[in-house]
Amino acid sequence: MKIAVLHFVHETVTFLANETTLDDFIYEGSPAKGEALLGIDPKSYMGGFVKVAREHADVELVGIESPLQPKTGIGSGWITREAFEFFVGRMVEQLKAEGPFDGVYLALHGAMGVTGIPRPEAEIARRVRQAVGASAFIAATFDPHGNEDEAFLQAADLAFTVKYYPHYDAYLQGTRAARNLIRCIRGDLKPTHASRKVPLISPTVLQWTGSAAWMSLINRALTWEAREPDVYVNVFFGFPWSDVPDAGMFVQVTTHDDPTLAAEVLADMVGTIWRQKDVLLSSADIVSIPAAIGAAAQACEQGAFPVVIADHSDRSGYATWVLDEIIRQELSDTVVATVADASALDRVQSAGLAVGDTFEAAIGGRVDPSAGEAVSVVGKVLHVPQLRAKDAGRLPFVTVGFGRNNVVVISRYLTQIMEPSELAGFGIELGRYKVFAIKSRVHFRLGFDDSGFAKKIVIAEPDEPFLGTTRLQGLGYRNLDLSSFYPYRRDASF
Ligand SMILES: [Zn+2]
């Protein structure tokens, strides 16, 4: 049994001006193929897939050359057509050259935005189908932030989407993809699907599956999977920062040769979402940035620290709203991680600044109205990292101390801190600080909330409806009609 393994993921914020280019996908380790590809992310989708596939003695896995996450992470806009065609073209060539294959595993995300290609993941599946033929089976894994519709499973056979946000079950979904792909190849599973768009669009900060509404929705999907053998329920929450026609919520149900059951489960899931739509959309309190800094100061006075301030809305990484307000309100004992500013890092590098040197510069802001103004920081360099091969000779970050025991990390790219332990990598000793201002919507819950670390969590966004705002009506959508989605549609029936 010969199975090809491919990987192509990105969560594209199409409203960002900086395109995601071919060069962004090419760096030390990327693209990857063979064992190097199969070995990425042992605790995520790929690790789960490879583990279970290799429990079967008659399975051969072929790692097809694939790009890993771009250097820009999730801080970049439209993927260029050139980058997409380059990698997919090489994948198709290699599939044809090394075939025939009995199966293909596609490790995807689902929120890829490519210039000129409305549904990139479905397009990948169609081209892979053409390369491997009708008799091969195609299985994929997805992130719940994927923007998908019926098109994907018209070209592929199976899809498994992570249920939790933070994405705890990525490895588990990888194992399910492997097991069921192998069953399809053996004739032990005949997948039938039912799927439907739910015209509900939500900012990602509200989609925390630790909140009661989202947890209960996920529990409903898990209950169906527990009740019925071979029922698989995928709930795509959707990614509203991609201006693509298939954004919004989407539910897929797979059964073993039972379209009636698939339709029944689907009707139950979409009906539940629609009945719960208002609670799903009110799952988090979001405050202004001045209010967030004030609340953090008050919590510290009352001894309720560590405090986490999550600026959920920054999509470029350059936003300075929180840093500016920390300085304005003279907050102390605070870590700001991070403010992106590539040119500030280049200047630090060319000046050869070292630990203990004075740092004086205006950092961040400017790249987009959502980033705000550059903010002047005067302090001392606390940490400068050694360059690694993957830094390509460019300083990845610098840590600067300022004010009354405050620290700001200046990074090259948007950086989402998910665990307190990641701060050690910036030379930060956790115990010395009371407030941690980070840029994350929900993933930080993993290490800061679910772990019991934070005594108080405040989620904030600027007053203006910038890119990343919960007020989606402030964004200039062109490829989807916001007024067709709840809560922006007048008609509440569905
Ligand atoms: Zn996600």
Side-chain angles (χ1 to χ4, degrees):
M1 210 182 287
K2 194 167 161 187
I3 297 175
V5 176
L6 286 75
H7 176 274
F8 204 177
V9 304
H10 192 232
E11 192 176 79
T12 309
V13 179
T14 63
F15 296 104
L16 286 171
N18 55 317
E19 290 183 321
T20 311
T21 63
L22 178 57
D23 177 65
D24 288 328
F25 288 100
I26 298 175
Y27 52 90
E28 172 98 20
S30 174
K33 61 181 178 182
E35 284 304 311
L37 178 68
L38 302 178
I40 61 164
D41 301 332
K43 287 186 72 178
S44 189
Y45 306 93
M46 186 66 80
F49 184 88
V50 171
K51 175 72 176 71
V52 165
R54 289 198 162 150
E55 286 172 3
H56 298 79
D58 55 340
V59 169
E60 180 197 352
L61 298 181
V62 180
I64 303 291
E65 183 186 88
S66 302
L68 306 189
Q69 279 276 4
K71 285 180 250 184
T72 51
I74 55 172
S76 57
W78 291 107
I79 298 171
T80 61
R81 183 78 183 251
E82 180 199 19
F84 182 83
E85 297 293 350
F86 177 84
F87 290 115
V88 177
R90 286 175 70 97
M91 287 169 177
V92 164
E93 272 172 34
Q94 205 185 333
L95 286 170
K96 286 180 180 163
E98 301 198 18
F101 290 98
D102 303 294
V104 179
Y105 168 52
L106 303 175
L108 302 174
H109 179 289
M112 187 180 262
V114 181
T115 305
I117 299 189
R119 293 168 178 79
E121 287 82 8
E123 183 62 25
I124 293 169
R126 276 193 290 270
R127 295 198 198 177
V128 166
R129 171 65 72 203
Q130 279 174 2
V132 297
S135 61
F137 289 89
I138 301 174
T141 49
F142 285 96
D143 185 285
H145 294 113
N147 291 319
E148 293 301 321
D149 62 11
E150 286 79 5
F152 184 80
L153 282 176
Q154 284 164 4
D157 302 284
L158 290 165
F160 297 90
T161 301
V162 151
K163 290 193 168 54
Y164 298 93
Y165 185 23
H167 303 332
Y168 289 122
D169 54 326
Y171 179 92
L172 174 67
Q173 301 306 336
T175 68
R176 295 168 115 200
R179 178 164 176 268
N180 288 298
L181 176 59
I182 290 166
R183 288 179 59 203
C184 284
I185 296 168
R186 288 192 175 141
D188 181 42
L189 180 67
K190 187 173 177 233
T192 52
H193 309 290
S195 58
R196 191 171 177 191
K197 192 97 219 160
V198 185
L200 178 74
I201 195 162
S202 57
T204 48
V205 68
L206 301 182
Q207 300 166 351
W208 176 36
T209 54
S211 68
W214 291 83
M215 188 179 279
S216 121
L217 174 62
I218 285 318
N219 191 52
R220 199 157 185 116
L222 289 169
T223 304
W224 274 117
E225 293 183 349
R227 276 170 69 174
E228 299 284 346
D230 289 328
V231 163
Y232 302 99
V233 183
N234 294 332
V235 182
F236 287 90
F237 306 161
F239 188 68
W241 323 116
S242 269
D243 178 16
V244 293
D246 50 354
M249 283 188 93
F250 184 65
V251 182
Q252 283 169 338
V253 178
T254 296
T255 61
H256 170 48
D257 200 16
D258 192 342
T260 309
L261 178 60
E264 183 194 346
V265 175
L266 179 70
D268 177 74
M269 290 301 302
V270 300
T272 301
I273 293 169
W274 202 247
R275 285 195 301 281
Q276 297 295 315
K277 56 189 180 303
D278 290 312
V279 268
L280 289 167
L281 292 175
S282 54
S283 59
D285 285 331
I286 294 155
V287 303
S288 73
I289 303 237
I293 308 305
Q298 195 181 22
C300 287
E301 268 170 38
Q302 294 165 348
F305 56 84
V307 181
V308 172
I309 300 169
D311 171 3
H312 79 87
S313 70
D314 183 10
R315 288 288 169 174
S316 67
Y318 281 69
T320 52
W321 307 98
V322 170
L323 174 64
D324 186 46
E325 196 61 31
I326 285 169
I327 293 169
R328 197 185 301 274
Q329 294 195 27
E330 298 180 356
L331 203 61
S332 63
D333 308 304
T334 297
V335 172
V336 182
T338 68
V339 173
D341 192 332
S343 61
L345 290 175
D346 290 342
R347 289 195 303 275
V348 165
Q349 193 170 5
S350 60
L353 288 190
V355 172
D357 287 349
T358 297
F359 177 95
E360 188 169 358
I363 62 165
R366 296 170 294 203
V367 294
D368 179 90
S370 67
E373 300 291 325
V375 168
S376 178
V377 172
V378 181
K380 283 215 179 323
V381 175
L382 295 185
H383 187 76
V384 184
Q386 298 285 327
L387 292 184
R388 301 150 300 177
K390 70 174 185 173
D391 299 324
R394 304 173 83 191
L395 190 64
F397 72 89
V398 67
T399 305
V400 174
F402 69 98
R404 291 181 296 138
N405 193 37
N406 294 322
V407 167
V408 60
V409 179
I410 305 166
S411 61
R412 190 161 289 276
Y413 299 110
L414 167 67
T415 303
Q416 179 173 201
I417 304 291
M418 300 188 221
E419 307 242 15
S421 60
E422 290 172 48
L423 295 170
F426 299 117
I428 292 166
E429 279 177 56
L430 288 178
R432 296 190 56 200
Y433 305 96
K434 294 178 180 169
V435 180
F436 297 86
I438 56 167
K439 291 174 175 174
S440 177
R441 288 147 290 283
V442 169
H443 281 304
F444 76 95
R445 304 258 183 199
L446 171 78
F448 288 92
D449 189 359
D450 294 359
S451 64
F453 176 87
K455 297 286 185 294
K456 184 172 181 67
I457 289 173
V458 196
I459 302 174
E461 71 171 60
D463 293 337
E464 298 86 344
F466 291 131
L467 166 61
T469 178
T470 49
R471 292 154 286 169
L472 302 181
Q473 68 273 27
L475 300 175
Y477 288 101
R478 290 172 175 202
N479 299 310
L480 68 84
D481 174 13
L482 198 62
S483 69
S484 68
F485 291 91
Y486 195 81
Y488 303 99
R489 63 194 255 153
R490 294 217 180 88
D491 181 4
S493 67
F494 152 62

